[in-house]
């Protein structure tokens, strides 16, 4: 990813912290360029691993803005983890491909990440344009 991407990755981190998300200690961020995932219509775009506090972003064949959107979503999961909302038994169930359908607590965490992650990303982008 180019320097503009890295600048906005850092800017998003600062932004979510400024609006009150618990993000410290910061997660490890891994960017993967996995063509097999990008060629699979239902391939992975990103995930958060709560035990190691790692965000994995899949970047092959994706628009940088979309990768940043995934980053903010996963940062919300990091916030949830540091805030004690992700409990170990729920995190263990995340290996189930349908964890968001089969576990009510995990489904609610996903709803939270979609709502607050997307809104934070929208606000960051709107402010970055001006």
């Amino acid at each position: 990813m180019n320097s503009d991407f890295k600048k906005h990755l850092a800017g998003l981190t600062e932004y979510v912290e400024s609006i009150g998300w618990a993000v410290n200690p910061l997660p490890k961020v891994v960017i993967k360029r996995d063509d097999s995932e990008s060629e699979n219509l239902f391939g992975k775009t990103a995930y958060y691993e709560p035990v190691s506090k790692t965000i994995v972003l899949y970047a092959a064949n994706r628009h940088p803005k979309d990768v940043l959107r995934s980053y903010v979503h996963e940062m919300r999961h990091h916030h949830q983890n540091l805030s004690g909302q992700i409990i170990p038994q729920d995190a263990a169930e995340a290996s189930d491909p349908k964890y968001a359908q089969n576990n009510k607590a995990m489904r609610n965490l996903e709803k939270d990440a979609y709502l607050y992650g997307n809104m934070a990303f929208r606000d960051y982008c709107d402010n970055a344009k001006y």
Side-chain angles (χ1 to χ4, degrees), residues 62-113:
R62 291 179 69 197
H63 192 286
K65 186 175 181 182
D66 187 47
V67 178
L68 290 172
R69 183 180 298 107
S70 291
Y71 172 71
V72 177
H73 176 96
E74 301 308 331
M75 277 296 278
R76 185 64 183 185
H77 288 313
H78 182 61
H79 160 79
Q80 293 165 343
N81 187 29
L82 295 182
S83 299
Q85 297 173 58
I86 297 177
I87 56 175
Q89 60 266 31
D90 287 337
E93 288 183 29
S95 62
D96 171 4
K98 290 188 170 186
Y99 71 88
Q101 290 78 30
N102 296 334
N103 181 310
K104 186 175 181 177
M106 294 296 283
R107 186 165 187 86
N108 287 332
L109 292 173
E110 279 300 316
K111 288 177 182 179
D112 176 272

Side-chain angles (χ1 to χ4, degrees), residues 1-10 31 57 64-65 67-68 71:
M1 294 283 167
N2 66 26
S3 61
D4 219 29
F5 176 85
K6 291 176 185 174
K7 176 183 93 172
H8 288 294
L9 197 66
I31 298 174
L57 302 170
K65 186 175 181 182
V67 178
L68 290 172
Y71 172 71

